[in-house]
Amino acid sequence: MLSNAIELPRAPVGEWFDTLVTWCTDHLSWLFDGIGSAIETSVDGLTDVLTVLPPLALTLVLAVIALAISGWRLSVFTILGFVLIDSMELWDDSMDSLALVLVSALVSTVLSIPIGIAAARNDVVSRIVRPVLDFMQTMPAFVYLIPAIFFFSIGSVPGVVATVIFAMPPGVRLTELGIRGVDPEMVEAGEAFGTPPNRILTRIQIPLALPSIMAGVNQLIMLSLSMVVIAGMVGAGGLGGVVLEGINRVDVAKGFEGGIAVVILAIYLDRLTGALGEGPSMLRALFARGKATRGAAPRGAAPRDVAAPSADLVG
């Protein structure tokens, strides 16, 4: 009886959001046109760069990059995986998706790292950013496509915008976590020697937090790839369009081939960005070889003071 007597009025949250989207469309169309033009030019330009070489030639280039950064295992996987993509006649679609993912990941990285640094250095910013990131991360990805279509119409642009919004949170969170996780004694040592705050950030905190920052970049790239299929629903094309076509036609073979191509791209980018956090494999090998050839310090030589900061920190 009590539940029937008390009826709360309906909150028109959806109508409020619709009004906001309409207002933005009417008054900020110049801004969205500029953003859309920049994104479309970037995606199209990167696609042209990726398709200017024959498939086998680009495969060898990507394999050499994998060899330099990660090692021979990823290089062999790159050759086998991308040859398989070409043999499935999905090369152009894969390059479209790779361009979309790289542009989305670049924009997400450029936005998320400064926000993460600001949140790590200011508790007020952290308290403001945290609920926003929770909202961005828990909102279903399909919902982002609705306003993106209103602002940018159909094509690759709304796919990139929705991907950026969906992929940013882990980049911000892991950047903040990495900066806050730096040993306070290292920061205090820099401050004791009169190091300016900006140099402490760029010469102490960011280098020490780099593994965590690169883990955030890795995660946002993976989330960008997970949005490829969803972006295909708004005309972004690429492998998302292939998988969507397979779903619409109940074509198991086509959908599976598109999914395999996405997996190959995901493994390549995942291993590549994961290795970047540790340093390129060739540089690690050269560094280890240099340490072995230098050998022990001469007898009687004074030990090097590793705790003292270098001159460029204080200068």
Side-chain angles (χ1 to χ4, degrees):
M1 295 294 293
L2 184 61
S3 61
N4 294 332
I6 301 177
E7 293 185 4
L8 295 176
R10 180 182 180 275
V13 177
E15 287 77 359
W16 295 339
F17 183 72
D18 179 64
T19 302
L20 176 63
V21 170
T22 303
W23 185 91
C24 292
T25 304
D26 294 338
H27 296 84
L28 300 177
S29 59
W30 56 272
L31 176 62
F32 297 124
D33 290 342
I35 294 174
S37 177
I39 292 175
E40 187 173 6
T41 301
S42 301
V43 173
D44 292 343
L46 185 55
T47 303
D48 293 338
V49 170
L50 292 174
T51 54
V52 69
L53 292 176
L56 292 180
L58 183 59
T59 298
L60 291 178
V61 171
L62 296 176
V64 170
I65 294 174
L67 178 64
I69 294 178
S70 180
W72 66 270
R73 292 182 180 83
L74 182 60
S75 181
V76 172
F77 171 82
T78 302
I79 295 174
L80 297 177
F82 281 83
V83 167
L84 177 61
I85 289 176
D86 187 30
S87 68
M88 293 188 298
E89 299 180 351
L90 294 176
W91 184 262
D92 291 337
D93 293 317
S94 298
M95 294 303 103
D96 290 342
S97 293
L98 183 59
L100 189 146
V101 168
L102 291 179
V103 171
S104 302
L106 177 62
V107 175
S108 299
T109 302
V110 169
L111 293 176
S112 62
I113 291 180
I115 295 174
I117 293 173
R121 304 185 74 182
N122 191 305
D123 291 336
V124 175
V125 175
S126 179
R127 286 194 292 269
I128 294 173
V129 166
R130 191 175 297 117
V132 177
L133 295 178
D134 292 339
F135 178 85
M136 293 169 61
Q137 208 163 12
T138 54
M139 178 68 70
F142 290 95
V143 178
Y144 294 132
L145 297 178
I146 302 173
I149 293 173
F150 273 97
F151 294 147
F152 304 104
S153 186
I154 299 294
S156 61
V157 177
V160 170
V161 172
T163 301
V164 167
I165 297 173
F166 183 71
M168 273 183 59
V172 177
R173 292 184 191 277
L174 287 173
T175 298
E176 179 183 2
L177 181 65
I179 297 294
R180 288 184 180 273
V182 173
D183 189 353
E185 293 183 357
M186 299 292 293
V187 178
E188 292 172 1
E191 292 174 346
F193 282 91
T195 308
N198 289 337
R199 284 187 176 270
I200 289 178
L201 174 66
T202 57
R203 303 297 177 87
I204 297 177
Q205 291 178 310
I206 290 181
L208 293 177
L210 189 59
S212 180
I213 294 174
M214 289 307 302
V217 173
N218 176 276
Q219 289 301 305
L220 66 86
I221 289 177
M222 293 301 100
L223 289 176
S224 299
L225 272 167
S226 71
M227 285 287 291
V228 166
V229 178
I230 298 176
M233 300 180 64
V234 294
L239 295 174
V242 174
V243 175
L244 187 63
E245 184 180 351
I247 294 173
N248 291 333
R249 297 184 178 182
V250 198
D251 190 339
V252 177
K254 194 175 190 64
F256 183 76
E257 289 177 352
I260 287 294
V262 172
V263 170
I264 292 172
L265 292 180
I267 294 176
Y268 177 77
L269 294 175
D270 175 64
R271 300 297 186 270
L272 207 61
T273 53
L276 280 173
E278 303 173 0
S281 63
M282 285 188 175
L283 293 182
R284 294 200 303 269
L286 291 175
F287 179 73
R289 185 180 302 173
K291 288 182 65 178
T293 56
R294 283 198 302 269
R299 182 174 298 177
R304 183 181 177 185
D305 184 8
V306 297
S310 58
D312 62 344
L313 269 179
V314 184

